[in-house]
C-alpha cells in the first residue's frame, strides 16, 4: 500500500473510532430527508439483463443491457437504458428480422415509442446497415425517423443525409439533403427517388431461451 493511501486509511479509521466513542456518550436522532419527488424513484432497476419481450402473447424482442430502469411514476411511463442496449426483433414465426444497438435509450411503454441516442446502429440479415446519433421509433405506426445525420448502406447503395424516415423494417425509406452512390435498375430509376430494398431474410430462427417480460 502506498504511504499516501495508508495515511488516509488511518485518518478515516481514527475518525470513525472517535465518532463511535462520541456516540456512546451522546444519543442523537438520525433521520433521512423525506423524498418529495416520486418521479425520481424507479419502481425497478435490473442489472445484467438478457430477456425476451412479448406483446399479446407473441415474442417480439430480446433485450440485452447492463442496466434497465422502469419508472411508472413518471408521465409518461418509461423504461430507461442509460448504459446502452442491444435489441433483437423477431417476426411471428420467431425469425430474427433485425438488430438495434445504441448508447442510451428510453422506451415509453404506454405509447410504444422508442427514443434511441448515441451511436445508433441497425443491422439486418440482408446486409443493410444504418448509423445515426438519434433515432425515433413508433411501434404503433410502424415508423422510424431521425432529424440528425444518418448513413445507410446496402451491398449496392450508400446514402447519407440530415433527414431520414422509414418503415420499421427499413424496406421503404426516404433520406433528404442526401449524397451517395448506388446501382439502380431501370424500374428503380422510373419509380423516382424512393429506395426499395430486398426483403429482410427471415430464414434464421432464434431458440428464444431466457426469461420473458410481457408487454401489454
Amino acid at each position: 500500500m502506498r504511504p499516501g493511501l495508508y495515511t488516509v486509511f488511518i485518518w478515516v479509521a481514527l475518525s470513525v473510532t472517535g465518532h463511535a466513542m462520541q456516540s456512546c456518550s451522546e444519543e442523537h436522532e438520525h433521520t433521512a430527508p423525506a423524498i418529495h419527488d416520486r418521479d425520481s424513484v424507479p419502481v425497478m432497476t435490473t442489472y445484467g439483463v438478457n430477456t425476451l419481450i412479448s406483446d399479446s402473447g407473441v415474442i417480439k424482442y430480446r433485450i440485452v443491457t447492463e442496466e434497465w430502469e422502469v419508472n411508472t411514476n413518471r408521465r409518461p411511463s418509461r423504461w430507461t437504458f442509460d448504459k446502452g442496449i442491444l435489441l433483437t426483433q423477431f417476426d411471428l414465426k420467431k425469425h430474427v428480422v433485425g438488430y438495434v444497438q445504441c448508447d442510451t435509450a428510453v422506451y415509453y411503454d404506454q405509447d410504444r415509442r422508442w427514443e434511441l441516442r448515441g451511436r445508433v446502429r441497425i443491422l439486418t440479415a440482408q446486409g443493410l446497415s444504418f448509423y445515426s446519433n438519434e433515432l425515433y421509433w413508433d411501434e404503433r405506426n410502424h415508423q422510424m425517423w431521425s432529424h440528425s445525420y444518418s448513413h445507410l448502406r446496402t451491398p449496392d447503395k450508400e446514402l447519407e443525409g440530415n433527414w431520414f424516415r422509414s418503415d420499421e423494417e427499413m424496406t421503404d425509406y426516404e433520406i433528404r439533403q442526401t449524397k451517395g452512390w448506388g446501382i439502380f435498375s431501370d424500374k428503380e430509376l422510373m419509380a423516382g427517388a424512393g429506395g426499395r430494398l430486398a426483403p429482410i431474410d427471415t430464414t434464421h430462427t432464434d431458440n428464444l431461451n431466457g426469461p420473458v417480460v410481457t408487454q401489454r
Side-chain angles (χ1 to χ4, degrees), residues 14-216:
L14 291 175
S15 299
V16 172
T17 303
H19 179 72
M21 293 176 63
Q22 183 180 4
S23 299
C24 295
S25 59
E26 299 179 10
E27 293 185 0
H28 297 278
E29 183 178 357
H30 300 281
T31 58
I35 299 175
H36 298 287
D37 186 5
R38 291 189 61 198
D39 286 356
S40 63
V41 182
V43 298
M44 183 194 77
T45 301
T46 307
Y47 302 94
V49 177
N50 186 344
T51 191
L52 302 168
I53 303 294
S54 69
D55 186 3
S56 301
V58 178
I59 299 294
K60 296 194 68 175
Y61 307 107
R62 180 193 298 278
I63 291 180
V64 179
T65 181
E66 291 185 22
E67 183 176 325
W68 177 7
E69 180 182 291
V70 176
N71 195 324
T72 57
N73 294 321
R74 301 190 67 179
R75 293 292 179 268
S77 172
R78 67 197 64 189
W79 303 350
T80 304
F81 306 87
D82 284 336
K83 295 186 178 180
I85 186 174
L86 173 62
L87 181 69
T88 305
Q89 184 180 9
F90 306 97
D91 64 10
L92 295 178
K93 297 181 179 179
K94 300 178 182 178
H95 295 146
V96 176
V97 295
Y99 302 90
V100 179
Q101 187 175 18
C102 64
D103 290 342
T104 63
V106 178
Y107 179 62
Y108 299 96
D109 56 307
Q110 299 298 320
D111 298 333
R112 298 178 62 183
R113 178 170 50 88
W114 288 90
E115 291 184 5
L116 312 175
R117 299 185 184 278
R119 295 184 295 182
V120 180
R121 297 181 183 275
I122 298 178
L123 303 174
T124 71
Q126 199 65 22
L128 182 148
S129 67
F130 173 86
Y131 173 83
S132 182
N133 276 320
E134 74 169 22
L135 184 67
Y136 300 92
W137 179 4
D138 186 341
E139 289 184 12
R140 286 180 174 171
N141 297 314
H142 310 290
Q143 293 290 323
M144 292 180 167
W145 66 92
S146 175
H147 298 154
S148 296
Y149 168 81
S150 301
H151 181 273
L152 186 147
R153 180 169 57 190
T154 72
D156 60 353
K157 299 182 183 70
E158 186 167 352
L159 297 171
E160 55 187 87
N162 295 323
W163 189 96
F164 171 81
R165 183 175 292 274
S166 170
D167 65 337
E168 62 184 12
E169 293 184 349
M170 287 196 167
T171 57
D172 187 4
Y173 59 85
E174 180 182 2
I175 298 179
R176 298 180 182 176
Q177 302 177 19
T178 63
K179 61 180 179 179
W181 61 270
I183 302 173
F184 300 93
S185 66
D186 292 340
K187 290 183 178 180
E188 288 176 312
L189 291 175
M190 293 297 293
R196 299 281 177 175
L197 303 180
I200 295 175
D201 184 9
T202 59
T203 57
H204 176 71
T205 302
D206 196 283
N207 57 19
L208 300 183
N209 292 328
V212 178
V213 175
T214 301
Q215 174 187 334
R216 299 183 185 277

